[in-house]
Amino acid sequence: MKSVAHSYAAAALSCVEKAGARPKAEEYGRLCHIFPSMVLVNGLRLTVAYFRSKAAKEKIYEIFLRDLGLALEVPDWNTGIPESMADYRELTGRALKACVWFKRYAEAVLRIEQTHEHGDF
């Protein structure tokens, strides 16, 4: 039986490897690093809303949200964030656990190191 961490790790590895073949691989890796800290500061709902607003201009944000949604089994971020506080907190915790793997693989596969510069964030 696979653990939840194993499923997050497998999904993250697959997504990060695919991102490595794209032109904006470095940007994808940066998003892997900033997403969890943004969730801790702003909450999951606001962070997803921010990424969705940025996706209108930069497709890499949309790709990251889609990949994270695959790992979390949230096919649509429009309807995937629960209204009940308990379910919302549970999804936030799952998202943060999955993001650990996205960050690790961004460092290992894409060679992206975490910086303290957050650009326009």
Side-chain angles (χ1 to χ4, degrees):
M1 178 179 212
K2 292 182 181 180
S3 68
V4 173
H6 179 83
S7 66
Y8 292 156
L13 178 59
S14 173
C15 294
V16 171
E17 286 178 336
K18 288 178 189 172
R22 293 188 187 105
K24 292 196 170 194
E26 187 175 321
E27 180 70 12
Y28 185 92
R30 190 177 73 80
L31 296 180
C32 290
H33 279 281
I34 65 169
F35 188 86
S37 61
M38 289 182 70
V39 169
L40 290 172
V41 171
N42 303 309
L44 181 63
R45 186 171 281 118
L46 287 176
T47 302
V48 168
Y50 176 78
F51 270 54
R52 288 179 57 217
S53 72
K54 294 291 278 188
K57 293 182 182 176
E58 299 179 50
K59 186 149 177 77
I60 199 71
Y61 285 85
E62 179 183 330
I63 292 168
F64 178 80
L65 281 178
R66 184 200 63 218
D67 290 350
L68 182 60
L70 288 172
L72 297 172
E73 298 178 351
V74 176
D76 182 11
W77 287 105
N78 291 326
T79 59
I81 298 179
E83 292 298 320
S84 92
M85 190 54 87
D87 292 339
Y88 174 76
R89 282 193 305 263
E90 188 264 336
L91 180 59
T92 299
R94 288 179 33 224
L96 291 171
K97 288 175 185 174
C99 283
V100 167
W101 292 102
F102 278 88
K103 284 177 68 171
R104 286 178 182 170
Y105 289 127
E107 291 172 358
V109 175
L110 303 177
R111 305 282 187 228
I112 305 297
E113 295 298 324
Q114 185 168 357
T115 64
H116 295 290
E117 298 176 24
H118 293 300
D120 62 344
F121 300 103

